[in-house]
Amino acid sequence: MFKARLSVVCGRVQPRPAKSSVSAARTFTSSAPRSKQRLVILGSGWGGYEILRAIDKKRWNVTMVSPTNAFNFTPLLASCAVGTLEFRCAVEPVRKFSPQVACYQAWCDTIDFKQKTLKCTPATAPLEYEGSASAPLAGTTTNDTSDPGTGNAFKLRYDKLVIAVGAYSQTFNVPGVKEHAHFLKDVRDARAIRTRIIDCFEQANQPVLSDVQRRNLLNFCIVGGGPTGVEFSAELHDLLHAEIQKHYPTLARMAKITLYDVAPNILGNFDKSLGIYAENKFRRDGISIKTRHHVERVEKDRMFVKEQGEVPFGLLVWSTGLAPNPLIQSIDSLEKHDKTQSLFTDQNLNVITKEGHADPDVWAIGDAANIKGQLHPATAQVANQKGKYLAQKLNKIVKDQEHTKPFEFQNQGSLAYLGDWKAIYDRSSAETVKTKETGRVAWLLWRSAYFTMTLSIRNKILVPTYWFLNWIFGRDLTRF
Ligand code: FAD
């Protein structure tokens, strides 16, 4: 049983000296004929997952490497963080495509562009083997080609490579943020935030606490006035004014939401009038906006703001933009954007070497990349369109057909939910039809856009079902 599992893994890692029983199993499990080229996709986000969906799996020998075995539908994370939607609504399993596609839940740590190899570290908890947790594996001779699951690194070879590893959350090196703030990048973050919100109310409800302690626990701070910070504030406001008001009426009056940003306005990427609309709506709703405020340090349960001094909080959500992925930082043979450190590509999305040549076998998409001379926003829309474009291109390459059309971004506009079934929609930067919309109409656009973009039929059923259930019965306030 154990050997059979090991051999599935060995079928894809670098060849290594092996005992005959293992090699026999390896041949048996190798699903791809030798003639197929190996396409390795790094990352199962908006860019990578789209390629995984659309790639011709019969003609490519596809491998997906990602530390998570799911795709996260990020626009719905703020809703999941307050219980408007359940977590399963915002994920799609990568395993849906196996065994046609080999999937490794692992981090890619280094890329050797000359040897066309990747060094990866498993993102799974190390397995305990019979006898001893550190017992050597059958057929394993070196550390760098061992079995994913042991915690040891392994190597993969590629013929073609797609880098779609996204970006990390920016902290601007503010001390204590990584340790004491919550980020909102995936479903696990949304889950942690939801648990923390309920914890704050349950703790504040204990009879031994003073009112000051209660107010501190129920002070919800959001740092970053971009779409993620704004949408989370709005969703939290909806929760406070519906279920929390109903089940903790006294505590609801003590709760406070504050949105911080260093910039003079929130939603700087939206048309100015829409930013003002959002600010006015938040002020009417009692969400405090503190622009031109600088968080200098964060400690457990408190932060220090230059303009305000010490601010105790129950929950701090940090969303101040993107920092480069360490894998991208580790690459020094390719051209990068000076400021964002994302990889430069040409218009066909091939990465560009320091010598100025496009690498014909490597592409980069999504938040980890930008076309040289163009600056597309770091959004799901761009990542998804690049994924679609690249899948079409790869499907033509494998059929020896020409695909020379350069990538062109079609701006569908930006949406942000503002709470209370109101939103803003901005397509004012589009070259063709320019539209701005606010309020209920924009909210309908927001819901229909994300319902349409939801990928699987399962989630197309789950998402509206939860919207409906929570509208009728209210959000679930239990914590696990
Ligand atoms: P991601 O989707 O971040 O995926 C990166 C993948 O790479 C992940 O699977 C990650 O686990 C994996 N990975 C990371 N490091 C490695 C490694 N070393 N090796 C292998 N794999 C690795 N955009 C919109 O257009 N509209 C919205 O409404 C919107 N809402 C958002 C809401 C939230 C809460 C957030 C966080 C983002 C939102 N965005 C939105 C932005 C959008 O999600 C990103 O622009 C998009 O996810 C970028 O896609 P990507 O494929 O480049 O990266």
Side-chain angles (χ1 to χ4, degrees):
M1 171 73 178
F2 164 70
K3 271 185 187 165
R5 190 194 59 78
L6 175 64
S7 62
V8 174
V9 173
C10 290
R12 302 282 173 165
V13 297
Q14 282 284 82
R16 57 190 160 185
K19 288 178 184 141
S20 54
S21 60
V22 174
S23 348
R26 189 183 294 158
T27 318
F28 173 71
T29 54
S30 177
S31 55
R34 284 215 168 272
S35 55
K36 278 196 197 180
Q37 290 204 72
R38 262 169 218 251
L39 169 71
V40 179
I41 304 165
L42 300 180
S44 58
W46 276 99
Y49 193 77
E50 183 56 38
I51 298 184
L52 194 61
R53 268 161 43 95
I55 196 78
D56 185 341
K57 295 163 199 73
K58 290 204 179 84
R59 292 175 195 254
W60 283 104
N61 172 1
V62 185
T63 299
M64 160 65 72
V65 177
S66 181
T68 156
N69 69 359
F71 156 76
N72 281 273
F73 194 99
T74 48
L76 296 182
L77 289 179
S79 302
C80 293
V82 300
T84 310
L85 285 174
E86 286 306 321
F87 305 114
R88 297 276 162 195
C89 299
V91 289
E92 301 283 352
V94 166
R95 281 279 159 211
K96 187 152 95 181
F97 304 103
S98 65
Q100 259 184 316
V101 171
C103 303
Y104 297 127
Q105 198 178 332
W107 299 94
C108 174
D109 294 325
T110 40
I111 307 174
D112 185 333
F113 293 100
K114 286 209 176 92
Q115 301 293 322
K116 291 192 162 186
T117 56
L118 310 167
K119 192 171 170 202
C120 307
T121 309
T124 50
L127 296 178
E128 297 214 349
Y129 294 98
E130 261 176 60
S132 154
S134 58
L137 290 164
T140 307
T141 52
T142 60
N143 261 350
D144 65 350
T145 56
S146 65
D147 173 40
T150 60
N152 291 336
F154 63 99
K155 272 188 181 172
L156 289 174
R157 204 170 55 73
Y158 68 84
D159 296 311
K160 308 279 181 200
L161 177 69
V162 177
I163 305 171
V165 293
Y168 276 35
S169 299
Q170 179 63 269
T171 65
F172 297 106
N173 291 326
V174 174
V177 173
K178 280 190 187 141
E179 296 79 7
H180 307 297
H182 284 258
F183 297 100
L184 184 55
K185 281 290 277 182
D186 61 25
V187 162
R188 278 168 307 179
D189 296 334
R191 191 182 203 135
I193 290 173
R194 189 162 158 193
T195 304
R196 181 64 198 156
I197 295 169
I198 308 297
D199 265 352
C200 287
F201 280 95
E202 289 301 344
Q203 278 181 34
N205 192 43
Q206 299 295 334
V208 288
L209 263 66
S210 69
D211 275 359
V212 173
Q213 286 172 312
R214 289 198 175 101
R215 279 182 209 286
N216 290 349
L217 267 171
L218 301 180
N219 193 21
F220 298 101
C221 298
I222 295 106
V223 179
T228 300
V230 164
E231 288 197 338
F232 176 72
S233 308
E235 293 274 4
L236 183 59
H237 173 266
D238 282 357
L239 172 73
L240 298 191
H241 286 261
E243 289 71 26
I244 297 289
Q245 184 112 29
K246 189 169 165 201
H247 300 291
Y248 308 85
T250 320
L251 296 178
R253 282 195 287 280
M254 294 183 177
K256 191 167 181 227
I257 306 173
T258 311
L259 179 61
Y260 291 86
D261 204 305
V262 290
N265 302 99
I266 59 167
L267 294 173
N269 290 340
F270 279 72
D271 182 83
K272 206 170 172 197
S273 63
L274 296 175
I276 293 170
Y277 174 89
E279 284 188 18
N280 289 339
K281 176 167 188 326
F282 272 16
R283 290 209 168 97
R284 276 198 308 274
D285 289 344
I287 300 174
S288 170
I289 301 176
K290 296 209 180 290
T291 46
R292 294 195 170 95
H293 276 60
H294 301 73
V295 178
E296 294 182 317
R297 194 171 88 241
V298 180
E299 290 177 3
K300 189 175 179 295
D301 304 335
R302 77 198 58 222
M303 63 180 184
F304 296 85
V305 183
K306 193 173 160 194
E307 296 74 11
Q308 211 184 348
E310 186 180 325
V311 180
F313 61 77
L315 170 77
L316 169 63
V317 174
W318 193 274
S319 171
T320 56
L322 301 178
N325 185 302
L327 175 67
I328 305 298
Q329 277 180 311
S330 75
I331 300 171
D332 49 21
S333 58
L334 300 179
E335 268 199 61
K336 291 184 202 169
H337 190 285
D338 278 348
K339 208 169 141 220
T340 64
Q341 284 300 298
S342 56
L343 294 173
F344 267 143
T345 70
D346 63 10
Q347 291 194 326
N348 299 311
L349 311 184
N350 289 97
V351 296
I352 302 170
T353 64
K354 280 255 166 84
E355 294 75 40
H357 311 300
D359 185 330
D361 297 328
V362 184
W363 295 266
I365 58 174
D367 289 357
N370 239 303
I371 297 175
K372 198 172 177 182
Q374 301 178 19
L375 197 60
H376 295 130
T379 60
Q381 215 182 110
V382 175
N384 184 256
Q385 287 184 25
K386 285 188 175 177
K388 278 199 172 76
Y389 166 89
L390 194 49
Q392 268 179 19
K393 193 182 195 70
L394 288 162
N395 287 343
K396 290 207 166 166
I397 287 176
V398 83
K399 289 185 203 154
D400 285 329
Q401 292 171 354
E402 280 280 298
H403 185 285
T404 47
K405 216 173 106 207
F407 171 77
E408 263 179 56
F409 174 53
Q410 308 292 328
N411 188 355
Q412 309 292 326
S414 313
L415 285 154
Y417 179 58
L418 299 181
D420 196 20
W421 295 15
K422 295 203 173 78
I424 48 173
Y425 172 63
D426 183 10
R427 213 176 161 210
S428 52
S429 59
E431 274 123 42
T432 49
V433 195
K434 296 180 195 292
T435 325
K436 281 188 281 181
E437 209 55 74
T438 55
R440 211 42 66 85
V441 176
W443 174 78
L444 281 171
L445 282 171
W446 183 86
R447 279 224 161 161
S448 43
Y450 292 126
F451 171 70
T452 316
M453 282 165 74
T454 302
L455 301 178
S456 61
I457 296 176
R458 185 178 178 278
N459 278 344
K460 280 202 190 300
I461 296 169
L462 272 186
V463 169
T465 304
Y466 275 109
W467 278 336
F468 180 70
L469 284 179
N470 288 331
W471 177 52
I472 299 285
F473 302 109
R475 297 169 186 83
D476 179 8
L477 293 185
T478 46
R479 82 178 277 293
F480 302 100

